[in-house]
Amino acid sequence: MTNLEALRANISSVHGVVLKESHFVKALVDVGLNQDADYATGNERDIDIASIKLYDAILGGAGLSEGGVSYNYQLSGLVVAKKALEKKWGINQEEKDEDPKNKITGESVW
């Protein structure tokens, strides 16, 4: 099984969403994985992070339609699946969404 096949297994048509191969490849590249490399258990976290990236893209494009094709998906199911992966790897969504420029990292001298 390749990394691409593993990611496709995580984000399948179960949720009623059909993605192009380029979506999967970009998510893998974003986390530093080669699509054609063999999937190893050491890649599990990176595959799950790539899955979260795809869930974010899907959730951000509510009511997807292209030409005569439209996609209907179960929003609550997508949210539950995304949150389960974030919880599994200890990813705090609030921290992820913060602008790092607004985060205090040092002590005040006054």
Side-chain angles (χ1 to χ4, degrees), residues 45-80:
R45 184 176 195 280
D46 289 331
I47 294 292
D48 285 349
I49 300 293
S51 298
I52 290 169
K53 288 180 171 291
L54 288 174
Y55 282 131
D56 284 340
I58 294 166
L59 291 169
L64 297 172
S65 63
E66 183 176 324
V69 179
S70 64
Y71 302 110
N72 296 317
Y73 52 85
Q74 185 66 27
L75 182 63
S76 61
L78 289 170
V79 172
V80 168

Short mmCIF file of all heavy atoms in Angstrom, two decimals, residues 45-80:
data_model
loop_
_atom_site.label_atom_id
_atom_site.label_comp_id
_atom_site.label_asym_id
_atom_site.label_seq_id
_atom_site.Cartn_x
_atom_site.Cartn_y
_atom_site.Cartn_z
N ARG A 45 0.78 9.05 11.66
CA ARG A 45 0.45 10.41 12.11
C ARG A 45 0.40 11.37 10.93
O ARG A 45 -0.52 12.18 10.82
CB ARG A 45 1.46 10.90 13.15
CG ARG A 45 1.10 12.27 13.72
CD ARG A 45 2.08 12.70 14.82
NE ARG A 45 1.56 13.80 15.59
CZ ARG A 45 1.59 15.08 15.21
NH1 ARG A 45 2.11 15.41 14.05
NH2 ARG A 45 1.10 16.02 15.99
N ASP A 46 1.38 11.28 10.03
CA ASP A 46 1.40 12.18 8.87
C ASP A 46 0.19 11.95 7.96
O ASP A 46 -0.39 12.89 7.43
CB ASP A 46 2.69 12.01 8.07
CG ASP A 46 3.90 12.56 8.82
OD1 ASP A 46 3.73 13.50 9.62
OD2 ASP A 46 5.01 12.05 8.59
N ILE A 47 -0.20 10.70 7.79
CA ILE A 47 -1.39 10.39 6.97
C ILE A 47 -2.63 10.99 7.64
O ILE A 47 -3.49 11.57 6.97
CB ILE A 47 -1.55 8.87 6.79
CG1 ILE A 47 -0.41 8.29 5.95
CG2 ILE A 47 -2.91 8.53 6.17
CD1 ILE A 47 -0.39 8.70 4.50
N ASP A 48 -2.73 10.88 8.95
CA ASP A 48 -3.87 11.45 9.67
C ASP A 48 -3.88 12.98 9.59
O ASP A 48 -4.93 13.60 9.46
CB ASP A 48 -3.90 10.98 11.12
CG ASP A 48 -4.36 9.54 11.27
OD1 ASP A 48 -4.87 8.97 10.27
OD2 ASP A 48 -4.24 8.98 12.37
N ILE A 49 -2.70 13.60 9.68
CA ILE A 49 -2.62 15.06 9.55
C ILE A 49 -3.05 15.48 8.14
O ILE A 49 -3.78 16.46 7.97
CB ILE A 49 -1.19 15.57 9.84
CG1 ILE A 49 -0.76 15.21 11.27
CG2 ILE A 49 -1.08 17.08 9.60
CD1 ILE A 49 -1.50 15.89 12.37
N ALA A 50 -2.63 14.73 7.14
CA ALA A 50 -3.07 15.00 5.76
C ALA A 50 -4.58 14.85 5.65
O ALA A 50 -5.25 15.62 4.96
CB ALA A 50 -2.35 14.07 4.78
N SER A 51 -5.14 13.87 6.36
CA SER A 51 -6.59 13.67 6.37
C SER A 51 -7.29 14.88 6.97
O SER A 51 -8.32 15.34 6.45
CB SER A 51 -6.96 12.41 7.17
OG SER A 51 -6.40 11.26 6.58
N ILE A 52 -6.75 15.40 8.05
CA ILE A 52 -7.32 16.59 8.70
C ILE A 52 -7.31 17.76 7.71
O ILE A 52 -8.27 18.51 7.61
CB ILE A 52 -6.57 16.94 10.00
CG1 ILE A 52 -6.85 15.87 11.07
CG2 ILE A 52 -6.94 18.33 10.51
CD1 ILE A 52 -5.96 15.95 12.29
N LYS A 53 -6.20 17.91 6.97
CA LYS A 53 -6.12 18.97 5.97
C LYS A 53 -7.22 18.83 4.93
O LYS A 53 -7.84 19.81 4.51
CB LYS A 53 -4.75 18.98 5.29
CG LYS A 53 -3.62 19.47 6.18
CD LYS A 53 -2.31 19.44 5.41
CE LYS A 53 -1.23 20.12 6.20
NZ LYS A 53 -1.42 21.56 6.30
N LEU A 54 -7.50 17.60 4.51
CA LEU A 54 -8.56 17.38 3.54
C LEU A 54 -9.93 17.65 4.14
O LEU A 54 -10.79 18.23 3.48
CB LEU A 54 -8.49 15.96 2.98
CG LEU A 54 -7.32 15.69 2.03
CD1 LEU A 54 -7.25 14.22 1.66
CD2 LEU A 54 -7.42 16.55 0.80
N TYR A 55 -10.13 17.25 5.39
CA TYR A 55 -11.40 17.56 6.06
C TYR A 55 -11.61 19.07 6.13
O TYR A 55 -12.71 19.57 5.89
CB TYR A 55 -11.45 16.97 7.48
CG TYR A 55 -11.75 15.49 7.52
CD1 TYR A 55 -10.97 14.64 8.29
CD2 TYR A 55 -12.83 14.95 6.83
CE1 TYR A 55 -11.25 13.29 8.35
CE2 TYR A 55 -13.10 13.60 6.88
CZ TYR A 55 -12.31 12.77 7.65
OH TYR A 55 -12.59 11.42 7.71
N ASP A 56 -10.54 19.82 6.44
CA ASP A 56 -10.64 21.28 6.47
C ASP A 56 -11.06 21.83 5.11
O ASP A 56 -11.90 22.72 5.03
CB ASP A 56 -9.30 21.91 6.89
CG ASP A 56 -9.01 21.79 8.37
OD1 ASP A 56 -9.96 21.56 9.16
OD2 ASP A 56 -7.83 21.92 8.75
N ALA A 57 -10.47 21.29 4.04
CA ALA A 57 -10.81 21.74 2.70
C ALA A 57 -12.26 21.41 2.35
O ALA A 57 -12.98 22.24 1.79
CB ALA A 57 -9.87 21.10 1.67
N ILE A 58 -12.70 20.23 2.73
CA ILE A 58 -14.07 19.81 2.44
C ILE A 58 -15.05 20.68 3.22
O ILE A 58 -16.03 21.18 2.67
CB ILE A 58 -14.27 18.32 2.79
CG1 ILE A 58 -13.43 17.45 1.86
CG2 ILE A 58 -15.75 17.95 2.70
CD1 ILE A 58 -13.30 16.01 2.35
N LEU A 59 -14.79 20.87 4.51
CA LEU A 59 -15.69 21.66 5.35
C LEU A 59 -15.72 23.12 4.91
O LEU A 59 -16.74 23.79 5.05
CB LEU A 59 -15.28 21.54 6.82
CG LEU A 59 -15.52 20.16 7.43
CD1 LEU A 59 -14.85 20.06 8.80
CD2 LEU A 59 -16.99 19.85 7.52
N GLY A 60 -14.62 23.61 4.38
CA GLY A 60 -14.55 25.00 3.93
C GLY A 60 -15.28 25.22 2.61
O GLY A 60 -15.56 26.35 2.23
N GLY A 61 -15.60 24.16 1.91
CA GLY A 61 -16.25 24.29 0.61
C GLY A 61 -17.68 23.78 0.65
O GLY A 61 -18.10 23.07 -0.25
N ALA A 62 -18.42 24.13 1.68
CA ALA A 62 -19.79 23.65 1.82
C ALA A 62 -20.59 23.92 0.55
O ALA A 62 -20.48 24.98 -0.04
CB ALA A 62 -20.46 24.33 3.01
N GLY A 63 -21.37 22.96 0.16
CA GLY A 63 -22.19 23.09 -1.04
C GLY A 63 -21.36 23.06 -2.30
O GLY A 63 -21.54 23.87 -3.19
N LEU A 64 -20.42 22.13 -2.38
CA LEU A 64 -19.55 22.03 -3.54
C LEU A 64 -20.33 21.68 -4.80
O LEU A 64 -21.17 20.80 -4.80
CB LEU A 64 -18.50 20.92 -3.32
CG LEU A 64 -17.52 21.12 -2.18
CD1 LEU A 64 -16.71 19.85 -1.96
CD2 LEU A 64 -16.60 22.28 -2.46
N SER A 65 -20.05 22.40 -5.87
CA SER A 65 -20.66 22.05 -7.16
C SER A 65 -19.72 22.47 -8.26
O SER A 65 -18.98 23.44 -8.14
CB SER A 65 -22.02 22.72 -7.32
OG SER A 65 -21.87 24.12 -7.35
N GLU A 66 -19.72 21.69 -9.33
CA GLU A 66 -18.88 21.98 -10.47
C GLU A 66 -19.65 21.60 -11.72
O GLU A 66 -19.97 20.43 -11.92
CB GLU A 66 -17.58 21.18 -10.36
CG GLU A 66 -16.59 21.47 -11.47
CD GLU A 66 -15.28 20.74 -11.27
OE1 GLU A 66 -14.83 20.59 -10.13
OE2 GLU A 66 -14.70 20.31 -12.28
N GLY A 67 -19.97 22.57 -12.53
CA GLY A 67 -20.78 22.29 -13.72
C GLY A 67 -22.12 21.71 -13.32
O GLY A 67 -22.83 22.26 -12.51
N GLY A 68 -22.44 20.55 -13.86
CA GLY A 68 -23.71 19.90 -13.54
C GLY A 68 -23.61 18.93 -12.39
O GLY A 68 -24.56 18.22 -12.07
N VAL A 69 -22.43 18.86 -11.74
CA VAL A 69 -22.22 17.91 -10.65
C VAL A 69 -22.20 18.65 -9.32
O VAL A 69 -21.55 19.68 -9.18
CB VAL A 69 -20.87 17.16 -10.83
CG1 VAL A 69 -20.63 16.20 -9.69
CG2 VAL A 69 -20.84 16.45 -12.17
N SER A 70 -22.93 18.13 -8.35
CA SER A 70 -22.87 18.71 -7.01
C SER A 70 -22.66 17.58 -6.01
O SER A 70 -23.06 16.45 -6.25
CB SER A 70 -24.14 19.49 -6.68
OG SER A 70 -25.24 18.62 -6.66
N TYR A 71 -22.00 17.91 -4.91
CA TYR A 71 -21.69 16.93 -3.89
C TYR A 71 -22.51 17.21 -2.64
O TYR A 71 -22.49 18.32 -2.13
CB TYR A 71 -20.20 16.95 -3.53
CG TYR A 71 -19.30 16.70 -4.71
CD1 TYR A 71 -18.52 17.71 -5.24
CD2 TYR A 71 -19.24 15.44 -5.30
CE1 TYR A 71 -17.70 17.48 -6.32
CE2 TYR A 71 -18.43 15.20 -6.39
CZ TYR A 71 -17.65 16.22 -6.89
OH TYR A 71 -16.84 16.00 -7.97
N ASN A 72 -23.20 16.21 -2.16
CA ASN A 72 -23.92 16.32 -0.90
C ASN A 72 -23.20 15.43 0.10
O ASN A 72 -22.93 14.27 -0.19
CB ASN A 72 -25.37 15.85 -1.06
CG ASN A 72 -26.13 16.74 -2.01
OD1 ASN A 72 -26.00 17.95 -1.94
ND2 ASN A 72 -26.89 16.14 -2.89
N TYR A 73 -22.89 15.96 1.24
CA TYR A 73 -22.19 15.16 2.23
C TYR A 73 -22.79 15.40 3.60
O TYR A 73 -23.49 16.37 3.84
CB TYR A 73 -20.68 15.45 2.24
CG TYR A 73 -20.33 16.91 2.35
CD1 TYR A 73 -20.24 17.52 3.59
CD2 TYR A 73 -20.07 17.67 1.22
CE1 TYR A 73 -19.91 18.86 3.70
CE2 TYR A 73 -19.74 19.01 1.32
CZ TYR A 73 -19.66 19.59 2.56
OH TYR A 73 -19.34 20.90 2.66
N GLN A 74 -22.49 14.47 4.49
CA GLN A 74 -23.00 14.53 5.85
C GLN A 74 -22.04 15.38 6.68
O GLN A 74 -21.01 14.90 7.12
CB GLN A 74 -23.13 13.10 6.41
CG GLN A 74 -23.76 13.01 7.76
CD GLN A 74 -25.22 13.43 7.74
OE1 GLN A 74 -25.89 13.33 6.74
NE2 GLN A 74 -25.69 13.93 8.86
N LEU A 75 -22.38 16.65 6.88
CA LEU A 75 -21.50 17.60 7.58
C LEU A 75 -21.13 17.11 8.97
O LEU A 75 -19.97 17.14 9.35
CB LEU A 75 -22.18 18.97 7.65
CG LEU A 75 -21.38 20.08 8.31
CD1 LEU A 75 -20.11 20.36 7.53
CD2 LEU A 75 -22.21 21.34 8.42
N SER A 76 -22.11 16.64 9.72
CA SER A 76 -21.81 16.21 11.10
C SER A 76 -20.84 15.04 11.12
O SER A 76 -19.97 14.95 11.99
CB SER A 76 -23.10 15.85 11.83
OG SER A 76 -23.76 14.79 11.18
N GLY A 77 -20.94 14.14 10.15
CA GLY A 77 -20.01 13.02 10.07
C GLY A 77 -18.59 13.46 9.79
O GLY A 77 -17.63 12.92 10.34
N LEU A 78 -18.44 14.45 8.92
CA LEU A 78 -17.11 14.99 8.63
C LEU A 78 -16.49 15.64 9.85
O LEU A 78 -15.31 15.45 10.14
CB LEU A 78 -17.20 16.01 7.49
CG LEU A 78 -17.49 15.47 6.10
CD1 LEU A 78 -17.81 16.61 5.14
CD2 LEU A 78 -16.33 14.66 5.59
N VAL A 79 -17.29 16.41 10.56
CA VAL A 79 -16.80 17.11 11.76
C VAL A 79 -16.36 16.10 12.82
O VAL A 79 -15.29 16.23 13.42
CB VAL A 79 -17.86 18.08 12.31
CG1 VAL A 79 -17.43 18.64 13.65
CG2 VAL A 79 -18.13 19.20 11.32
N VAL A 80 -17.16 15.06 13.02
CA VAL A 80 -16.83 14.03 14.02
C VAL A 80 -15.53 13.32 13.63
O VAL A 80 -14.65 13.12 14.49
CB VAL A 80 -17.99 13.02 14.16
CG1 VAL A 80 -17.56 11.80 14.95
CG2 VAL A 80 -19.19 13.69 14.82
#
